[in-house]
Amino acid sequence: MQHTVSSKTLIKATVSATVVAIVAVITLILPAEYNIDLTGMGHKLGLTVLATTSATETPTKSQQIETDEYQVIEVLVPAGRGVEYKFSMQQYGKMTYEWLTDGASLFFDLHGEPQGDTSGYFESYAIATLNEMKGSFTAPFAGSHGWYWKNESEKPVAVQLMVKGQYEVIGLKQ
């Protein structure tokens, strides 16, 4: 006996699978892999801890990096949102960087905030909308330095950030 599946049944199954996949990405994968918890469920389930303790995690703030080899960091920028990824650097510390997206252009602001400053002051080094950039800079002051990326599209955008130099990783700024 041969069973046939109607187009209506196939469409229902496809839509159901897509919804389940989206829910899994938002509630499980983003909090566990990238510490992006859009619903709060990742924290309640203890998944955000995984993003900070995985074996492939970037070094923590207490681990000073000074290397001539690029460190590769993956950052996911959710649709319609912005994220900030920061490094702690000493005055005159140097960093060489390159970043690229999985295709979409992002608004970004490469900037720094002086250590201990509570006024909200920051200094921008580059502001544009691009899908890739590479360069180097020398920190003009001790403090946190890094990127703010804003995704104005309707889909999440993955950023691959490659850095080398003298810094401590702060990571995603909440």
Side-chain angles (χ1 to χ4, degrees), residues 18-148:
T18 302
V19 168
V20 168
I22 290 169
V23 168
V25 166
I26 291 172
T27 60
L28 303 172
I29 296 171
L30 288 178
E33 291 292 326
Y34 302 102
N35 198 23
I36 298 172
D37 194 3
L38 302 174
T39 64
M41 286 300 297
H43 180 71
K44 290 177 185 171
L45 295 172
L47 298 174
T48 54
V49 173
L50 295 174
T52 59
T53 59
S54 70
T56 60
E57 177 197 289
T58 58
T60 62
K61 184 177 179 183
S62 63
Q63 294 173 307
Q64 175 70 39
I65 299 292
E66 189 167 345
T67 180
D68 288 331
E69 294 191 25
Y70 280 100
Q71 176 183 10
V72 179
I73 301 162
E74 299 288 334
V75 179
L76 187 66
V77 185
R81 304 224 7 227
V83 299
E84 202 168 14
Y85 199 92
K86 302 297 275 253
F87 299 88
S88 177
M89 297 178 68
Q90 297 301 314
Q91 186 174 24
Y92 309 125
K94 296 178 183 355
M95 175 183 281
T96 302
Y97 64 87
E98 179 175 357
W99 63 263
L100 53 105
T101 71
D102 55 3
S105 291
L106 297 173
F107 168 83
F108 75 91
D109 181 353
L110 172 58
H111 64 281
E113 300 157 351
Q115 184 175 345
D117 182 79
T118 58
S119 70
Y121 170 80
F122 65 94
E123 183 176 330
S124 293
Y125 312 127
I127 300 174
T129 300
L130 300 169
N131 65 353
E132 64 180 272
M133 183 178 185
K134 62 178 156 181
S136 63
F137 74 94
T138 301
F141 48 79
S144 64
H145 304 268
W147 289 264
Y148 170 77

